[in-house]
Amino acid sequence: QKEVEQNSGPLSVPEGAIASLNCTYSDRGSQSFFWYRQYSGKSPELIMFIYSNGDKEDGRFTAQLNKASQYVSLLIRDSQPSDSATYLCAVRRFQGAQKLVFGQGTRLTINP
Amino acid sequence: GAVVSQHPSRVICKSGTSVKIECRSLDFQATTMFWYRQFPKQSLMLMATSNEGSKATYEQGVEKDKFLINHASLTLSTLTVTSAHPEDSSFYICSAPHGGGRAYEQYFGPGTRLTVT
């Protein structure tokens, strides 16, 4: 079992709809969770992070964390074609850890 | 967010030569930096952790004599690909953690695309 798992996609969503990206992790003690966006040919860009159970909103993005079920998700409201990218979920396993463990990424396509 | 730069952004070299890639944290100090490699349409692969003032820590399967890492200062880490071969052609990305505790974030440089001919 991989430490961080994501559906590789591709996930196709019509423009204006909500895109839902999911990620599960195996280490129950994991502390912090990050979502990165990576456009083709570019490096990853941090979208947001979450460490408490529940929802965290930032503009059109909402991260959701459920530690009991060991999953974290990212919702993108009012999806735009510019949101088409690969979304990487990353986990910081413990408080002092410097390293993040990345999932393989979900490729998202927003169709106009 | 914090800024991490890489140089060069693109490099083409001949097989058998060595290539050095620089990673700099521009507005913060980073005692630790990470080097990743990414092949087309594949996920990020962590190669090594660069530690200021001490040896780098390499991930399993990464040849430390081929991928030399030097963390010369609190803002600079370099990755040297020695005796490069076409199979080393890839996108090399560095990252640096910033902040601690619940303020921890990790920022990526823009990447270096290496082509070995």
Side-chain angles (χ1 to χ4, degrees), chain A residues 31-32 34 36 38 40-46 49 51-52 67 88 92 95 97-100 102-105, chain B residues 32 34 36 38 42-44 46 49 59 91 93 97 99-111 113:
Chain A
Q31 295 285 318
S32 307
F34 301 79
Y36 287 83
Q38 186 176 23
S40 181
K42 302 293 185 183
S43 68
E45 171 193 11
L46 179 64
F49 63 90
Y51 49 78
S52 298
K67 288 188 176 182
L88 300 167
R92 187 185 186 202
Q95 186 86 341
Q98 294 290 318
K99 190 163 71 172
L100 296 181
F102 282 85
Q104 71 270 35
Chain B
T32 301
F34 301 98
Y36 295 84
Q38 188 174 39
Q42 293 190 22
S43 58
L44 285 175
L46 178 65
T49 302
E59 297 298 305
F91 192 40
I93 316 172
R102 291 188 163 180
Y104 174 98
E105 297 174 339
Q106 193 174 127
Y107 293 95
F108 284 86
R113 192 160 303 283

Side-chain angles (χ1 to χ4, degrees), chain B residues 13-69:
Chain B
C13 71
K14 292 189 175 179
S15 188
T17 61
S18 296
V19 174
K20 181 187 283 189
I21 303 169
E22 292 185 348
C23 177
R24 293 183 186 271
S25 55
L26 295 186
D27 51 358
F28 65 102
Q29 294 182 334
T31 56
T32 301
M33 291 183 177
F34 301 98
W35 286 97
Y36 295 84
R37 181 167 58 180
Q38 188 174 39
F39 293 107
K41 299 191 186 304
Q42 293 190 22
S43 58
L44 285 175
M45 189 198 85
L46 178 65
M47 299 175 68
T49 302
S50 173
N51 303 299
E52 190 268 336
S54 64
K55 291 182 180 179
T57 305
Y58 291 82
E59 297 298 305
Q60 193 172 7
V62 177
E63 299 174 59
K64 62 181 180 182
D65 294 331
K66 180 169 182 64
F67 298 100
L68 301 180
I69 291 172

Side-chain angles (χ1 to χ4, degrees), chain A residues 7-21 37-40 60 76 78-87 105-112, chain B residues 41:
Chain A
N7 188 324
S8 60
L11 174 65
S12 290
V13 173
E15 183 175 357
I18 296 175
S20 177
L21 302 155
R37 176 177 60 199
Q38 186 176 23
Y39 291 114
S40 181
R60 294 187 297 113
I76 307 174
D78 188 23
S79 298
Q80 304 296 311
S82 59
D83 295 325
S84 298
T86 296
Y87 289 80
T106 297
R107 189 155 55 94
L108 173 66
T109 300
I110 306 300
N111 301 308
Chain B
K41 299 191 186 304

Side-chain angles (χ1 to χ4, degrees), chain A residues 5-6 9 14 17 24 28-29 34 43 53 55 61 69 73 88 97-98 100-102 105 108:
Chain A
E5 294 214 50
Q6 294 179 255
T24 59
R28 186 171 285 278
F34 301 79
S43 68
N53 273 327
D55 294 1
F61 298 98
S69 300
S73 61
L88 300 167
Q98 294 290 318
L100 296 181
V101 181
F102 282 85
L108 173 66

